[in-house]
Amino acid sequence: MIWDFDKLIQEADKEIAGCSDLAALEALRIKFLGRKGLVADVYASLSTASVQEKPLIGKGANDFRARVIQWLEKKKGLLEHASSAESAQVFDVTLPGIAPALGREHILSRIIEEICTTFEHLGFVVQDGPEIETEFNNFTALNIPADHPSRDSFDTFYLETPDPDNKNRNLLLRSQTSPVQIRLMQQFKPPFAVVIPGKVYRPDAVDASHSFVFHQIEGLLVDEDIKFSDLKGLLTAFCRRLFGEKTRMRFRPHYFPFTEPSAEVDVSCYICDGQGCSVCGRKGWLEIMGCGMVNPKVFEAVKYPKGKYTGLAFGMGVERMAMLKYGINDIRLFLENDVRFLKQ
Ligand code: DAH
């Protein structure tokens, strides 16, 4: 015998849709899916079906069964909802509420907070500055020469050229947080100690370790008798708080136009304690920031009296710190808003 599956499906649909309470729905479930139900009958007929009929009946039975299960489930949900809505008319005000799912702080905000708080404990004040800067603040005042490659339009997002004869008035998206040093020095007289978190922009092709926007934290301390030993002591205290008390430090000579002398700072790898592992690329050291003593040319640019002040400065990439600290291997994850990443 060949079953008319279209008709079976239509009738089951009508009966389930017309069902008005949970008891009747259970009766329908038994009627269709029970041990002696309709679906069982259809499967039983396979034993007497011809070779040609068998696959048709088999497939029809599977589809019919799947659809009946689906409709029963759906209807059950609807009936349950209706009955709870009915009983909800007697409202129990003592029941606990349903807590809405709250998001959580973005991992970058958390790292910025952690780093800034660590510096606050060391006596620093948190400041910020605009993301749109002048060419003067971003480059010239920081002693970056006019022909420096970082000034190229391939390396900096320029916005406007209001005065072609005066490059310093060009506007750009800051490529580093260092220009905020200039703003603060123009505004305040030493002594002061500030940390400056914020976004910076560079027209880099995006890949696992490059992004057109990322975050930096800049530090600046200016007073009358600041020495390189102050810089070493400060950054050592900072790194030990962030990476653990056993952390060892390495200051490698480097060049930055706005500091002299300058150094790059490495910390002993907090995973392998300097033995060499996959996080530190078998080197035992992690490179975490640039630093140095403020170049007198920068003091000159902000018109501080000659020879009066000395200062220390440093700058670090926040994404890099987060990637090192949490073992994240792709910078794009910070920007993609993938909830699975953000929830971790
Ligand atoms: N501005 C530098 C950069 O973007 C980072 C930096 C290095 C900042 C040394 C500093 C510093 O203040 O002293 O690569």
Side-chain angles (χ1 to χ4, degrees):
M1 135 183 224
I2 275 281
W3 300 87
D4 183 347
F5 286 108
D6 286 342
K7 195 159 158 228
L8 287 184
I9 285 172
Q10 261 177 29
E11 283 173 6
D13 180 26
K14 220 194 259 167
E15 275 188 86
I16 294 171
C19 178
S20 59
D21 62 66
L22 286 164
L25 193 68
E26 174 61 10
L28 283 181
R29 191 189 66 77
I30 293 167
K31 173 177 168 185
F32 291 117
L33 301 176
R35 210 153 40 86
K36 294 188 184 141
L38 186 54
V39 171
D41 283 348
V42 179
Y43 281 117
S45 72
L46 276 172
S47 63
T48 54
S50 69
V51 184
Q52 292 92 329
E53 283 172 343
K54 269 189 181 154
L56 295 176
I57 297 178
K59 180 172 184 318
N62 289 344
D63 290 348
F64 178 50
R65 180 169 173 277
R67 295 183 68 152
V68 168
I69 291 174
Q70 197 189 351
W71 286 331
L72 287 169
E73 285 283 305
K74 194 168 161 196
K75 185 72 183 181
K76 190 166 168 218
L78 289 173
L79 289 173
E80 279 172 353
H81 182 75
S83 81
S84 71
E86 240 166 64
S87 55
Q89 285 171 3
V90 190
F91 188 71
D92 182 352
V93 291
T94 64
L95 281 177
I98 299 165
L102 288 178
R104 65 186 294 175
E105 199 176 23
H106 193 280
I107 186 166
L108 291 177
S109 310
R110 226 160 55 207
I111 286 263
I112 289 172
E113 178 72 29
E114 195 180 343
I115 293 174
C116 288
T117 306
T118 307
F119 279 109
E120 280 177 318
H121 290 158
L122 294 164
F124 281 67
V125 173
V126 179
Q127 290 280 329
D128 63 9
E131 288 166 25
I132 294 178
E133 264 298 359
T134 60
E135 190 164 345
F136 179 78
N137 288 349
N138 197 78
F139 293 121
T140 312
L142 290 165
N143 190 36
I144 299 175
D147 58 355
H148 193 275
S150 67
R151 287 195 178 216
D152 201 283
S153 59
F154 290 109
D155 287 300
T156 298
F157 285 113
Y158 285 91
L159 299 173
E160 270 179 43
T161 309
D163 177 0
D165 294 330
N166 185 355
K167 275 183 81 166
N168 281 332
R169 292 188 57 225
N170 286 352
L171 294 180
L172 45 78
L173 292 180
R174 67 179 178 194
S175 59
Q176 47 184 355
T177 42
S178 308
V180 188
Q181 290 192 21
I182 303 302
R183 287 178 177 270
L184 294 176
M185 287 192 275
Q186 285 170 339
Q187 209 180 333
F188 299 108
K189 252 176 81 176
F192 59 76
V194 290
V195 275
I196 308 145
K199 288 193 183 68
V200 302
Y201 300 84
R202 292 181 193 177
D204 280 338
V206 177
D207 63 24
S209 50
H210 293 88
S211 171
F212 55 89
V213 56
F214 56 97
H215 297 76
Q216 289 185 333
I217 296 180
E218 187 83 13
L220 176 67
L221 183 158
V222 186
D223 201 344
E224 287 191 9
D225 191 21
I226 302 301
K227 298 182 288 297
F228 197 84
S229 52
D230 296 314
L231 175 65
K232 286 181 83 171
L234 172 76
L235 295 181
T236 303
F238 164 72
C239 290
R240 293 207 168 135
R241 287 195 193 187
L242 203 70
F243 291 105
E245 283 305 318
K246 284 194 312 188
T247 306
R248 281 165 289 124
M249 309 285 295
R250 197 162 76 167
F251 290 77
R252 275 181 295 105
H254 197 75
Y255 176 75
F256 295 108
F258 32 89
T259 44
E260 182 59 34
S262 307
E264 278 192 323
V265 180
D266 299 342
V267 291
S268 54
C269 178
Y270 64 97
I271 299 279
C272 63
D273 194 25
Q275 298 308 301
C277 69
S278 62
V279 170
C280 58
R282 320 252 158 251
K283 293 193 203 100
W285 295 96
L286 302 167
E287 181 193 319
I288 57 160
M289 63 171 110
C291 68
M293 302 306 290
V294 178
N295 192 321
K297 292 203 172 132
V298 175
F299 288 144
E300 206 177 296
V302 297
K303 305 199 165 70
Y304 275 178
K306 200 170 164 81
K308 182 157 188 199
Y309 299 115
T310 49
L312 59 85
F314 53 89
M316 66 193 98
V318 178
E319 278 78 357
R320 186 170 161 75
M321 297 294 264
M323 289 167 88
L324 288 175
K325 191 154 184 202
Y326 294 106
I328 297 162
N329 57 12
D330 194 323
I331 198 169
R332 289 168 288 200
L333 287 165
F334 293 114
L335 282 177
E336 280 170 349
N337 275 338
D338 183 332
V339 180
R340 291 168 303 178
F341 172 76
L342 298 175
K343 265 188 183 162
Q344 282 178 50

